[in-house]
Amino acid sequence: MQPLTPTFIRRAELAATRVLDGLTGLPPEPEVLDATRQLRGALQVLQSQPEALTWSQRGLLETAVERCEELQGLLAPPSALQA
């Protein structure tokens, strides 16, 4: 698990917000509603009392950060070195 540094907290807040924005556009299936509820809960704890995050919530936020960073890497324009 990553330490709860200010940098991680900012990255986790941004990633969770992006994932929640994406989940909002999906049909209200039970899995989507459950994922939204869990991530929203983790984000609320992160913003109010980060030290109170459970291991499960931290894992969920770390996964959100990893997926957002992967997506950002896939969407980034190729560098001049790759051309």
Side-chain angles (χ1 to χ4, degrees):
M1 291 268 155
Q2 294 187 21
L4 288 174
T5 64
T7 300
F8 173 74
I9 291 171
R10 281 191 306 275
R11 290 172 53 218
E13 286 177 336
L14 180 59
T17 302
R18 286 180 176 168
V19 172
L20 285 169
D21 287 346
L23 289 172
T24 302
L26 296 176
E29 299 293 328
E31 297 85 3
V32 173
L33 296 173
D34 186 51
T36 301
R37 181 187 54 76
Q38 288 183 29
L39 188 55
R40 189 171 286 131
L43 179 59
Q44 288 172 346
V45 174
L46 180 71
Q47 291 172 330
S48 63
Q49 288 183 293
E51 66 281 351
L53 284 168
T54 65
W55 286 108
S56 176
Q57 290 170 324
R58 284 182 69 171
L60 189 60
L61 291 167
E62 286 186 11
T63 299
V65 169
E66 291 168 4
R67 297 301 176 261
C68 285
E69 288 176 352
E70 288 173 9
L71 182 59
Q72 188 174 6
L74 292 172
L75 297 176
S79 70
L81 294 175
Q82 294 175 338

